[in-house]
């Protein structure tokens, strides 16, 4: 879908803020790419999927947006370092990191998990993001930039449902990472927050939940708004947390879940079969 062009598109490179987005080729990552571009930022879009990333970057560049694509497997730490260095070389700065890349990984129960596979989700969802926070955090400190980091938590960080438990563990750990990074970086004016999406219509969710009518219905019926979330709605929250509008917010987790966690926590819907 074409994105609205604003006059900010014409800002010169060194007037622009720069955001590094991981997992940018599809889903929430790509929606966030479009949001930042629309707001006049330059975007360093990274993903493990070269073909999809190249196509997206080419199309947006042809529309006149300031976007550069970097093929990056976030779990390959030497690649992370190289890409961060390349972005700093090209733009001279980084103002925000969106640690979005994520996988569901191994889907067993406690009784049948494979110890060699159970780390899959953590590698991408937790440790890679943590290392990128270190690399980009060092750029912020070195260049005296009061930057922002936004991580992606999940419903699965707060409770267990049909989500794979290894994924849930990784997202609960992301909450710890967000708090620790906010604690360590606050004295430099650097803010660290997370968004906690509810069931969002992306390639990941379509594959696992949305395509199963029972899970699709179950997910929407647990929300106060009785619906799934659009990737652009998560992107808006990520942009807000990254922008100066959120200048006093750090260490926070912002649920963007159509009220799913509210019903879970109060359990109203499962106790009373009422409309309100
Ligand atoms: P998606 O599967 O549609 O997109 C994820 C992107 O990450 C893909 O472009 C993929 O190529 C990339 N990626 C995967 N492994 C990578 C690696 N090792 N290095 C670099 N890139 C890699 O997923 P979606 O739904 O957009 O998810 C984005 C984030 O939101 C994830 O962290 C996910 O856990 C989280 N989330 C999603 C929810 C949903 O309902 N869709 C709900 C809660 C959290």
């Amino acid at each position: 879908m074409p994105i609205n062009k604003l006059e900010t598109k014409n800002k010169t490179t060194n007037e622009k803020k720069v955001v590094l987005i991981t997992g940018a080729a599809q889903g929430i990552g790509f929606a966030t790419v479009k949001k930042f571009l629309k707001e006049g930022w330059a975007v360093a879009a990274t993903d493990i999927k070269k073909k999809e990333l190249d196509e997206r970057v080419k199309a947006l560049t042809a529309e006149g947006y300031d976007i550069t694509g970097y093929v990056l497997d976030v779990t390959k730490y030497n690649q992370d370092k190289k890409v961060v260095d390349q972005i700093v070389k090209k733009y001279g700065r980084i103002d925000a990191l969106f640690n979005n890349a994520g996988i569901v990984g191994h889907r067993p129960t406690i009784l049948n998990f494979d110890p060699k596979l159970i780390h899959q989700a953590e590698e991408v969802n937790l440790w890679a993001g943590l290392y990128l926070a270190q690399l980009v955090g060092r750029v912020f400190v070195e260049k005296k930039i009061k930057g922002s980091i936004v991580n992606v938590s999940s419903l699965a960080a707060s409770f267990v449902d049909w989500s794979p438990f290894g994924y849930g563990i990784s997202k609960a750990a992301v909450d710890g990472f967000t708090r620790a990074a906010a604690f360590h970086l606050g004295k430099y004016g650097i803010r660290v927050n997370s968004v906690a999406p509810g069931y969002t219509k992306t390639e990941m969710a379509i594959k696992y939940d949305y395509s199963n009518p029972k899970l699709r219905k179950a997910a929407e019926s647990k929300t106060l708004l009785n619906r799934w979330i659009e990737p652009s709605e998560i992107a808006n929250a990520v942009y807000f947390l990254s922008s100066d509008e959120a200048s006093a917010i750090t260490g926070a987790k912002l649920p963007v879940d159509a009220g799913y966690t509210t019903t879970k926590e109060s359990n109203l819907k499962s106790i009373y079969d009422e409309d309100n």
Side-chain angles (χ1 to χ4, degrees), residues 22-30 46-49 72-76 98-104 124-125 128 152-156 167 171 195-206 209 228 231 234:
T22 66
Q26 66 183 45
I28 291 169
F30 185 59
T46 74
D47 205 287
I48 196 171
K49 291 184 179 167
L72 171 65
D73 175 345
V74 288
T75 65
K76 303 276 184 322
F98 179 35
N99 265 327
N100 165 71
I103 60 165
V104 170
V124 181
N125 304 349
V152 185
S153 182
S154 170
L155 300 177
Y167 178 79
K171 292 297 185 180
V195 286
Y199 286 92
T200 308
K201 264 185 260 163
T202 65
E203 286 80 344
M204 174 196 275
I206 288 167
D209 305 311
W228 280 61
I234 311 295

Side-chain angles (χ1 to χ4, degrees), residues 61-165:
T61 304
E63 286 185 48
Y65 290 101
D66 192 345
I67 177 168
T68 310
Y70 301 86
V71 178
L72 171 65
D73 175 345
V74 288
T75 65
K76 303 276 184 322
Y77 294 159
N78 60 337
Q79 285 183 19
D80 288 319
K81 173 86 176 85
K82 235 183 252 169
V83 166
V84 169
D85 288 348
Q86 283 171 358
I87 296 166
V88 172
K89 195 165 171 210
K90 167 150 188 166
Y91 289 103
R93 60 187 297 118
I94 300 176
D95 297 276
L97 165 66
F98 179 35
N99 265 327
N100 165 71
I103 60 165
V104 170
H106 193 34
R107 297 175 66 85
T109 71
I110 292 284
L111 296 180
N112 65 13
F113 78 88
D114 180 336
K116 287 196 289 300
L117 301 180
I118 197 65
H119 303 286
Q120 285 175 333
E122 263 170 66
E123 289 298 335
V124 181
N125 304 349
L126 172 66
W127 300 118
L130 190 64
Y131 183 55
L132 273 166
Q134 178 183 87
L135 293 175
V136 175
R138 285 177 177 172
V139 173
F140 291 160
V141 171
E142 196 183 304
K143 295 188 173 290
K144 299 191 168 41
I145 293 168
K146 293 186 175 173
S148 148
I149 297 171
V150 177
N151 297 324
V152 185
S153 182
S154 170
L155 300 177
S158 308
F159 54 78
V160 174
D161 57 9
W162 56 81
S163 297
F165 80 93

Side-chain angles (χ1 to χ4, degrees), residues 32 35-36 39-41 150 195 234-246:
T32 310
K35 175 65 181 171
F36 274 87
E39 298 292 342
W41 287 49
V150 177
V195 286
I234 311 295
N236 290 343
V238 174
Y239 179 74
F240 165 67
L241 288 173
S242 307
S243 75
D244 292 341
E245 301 288 313

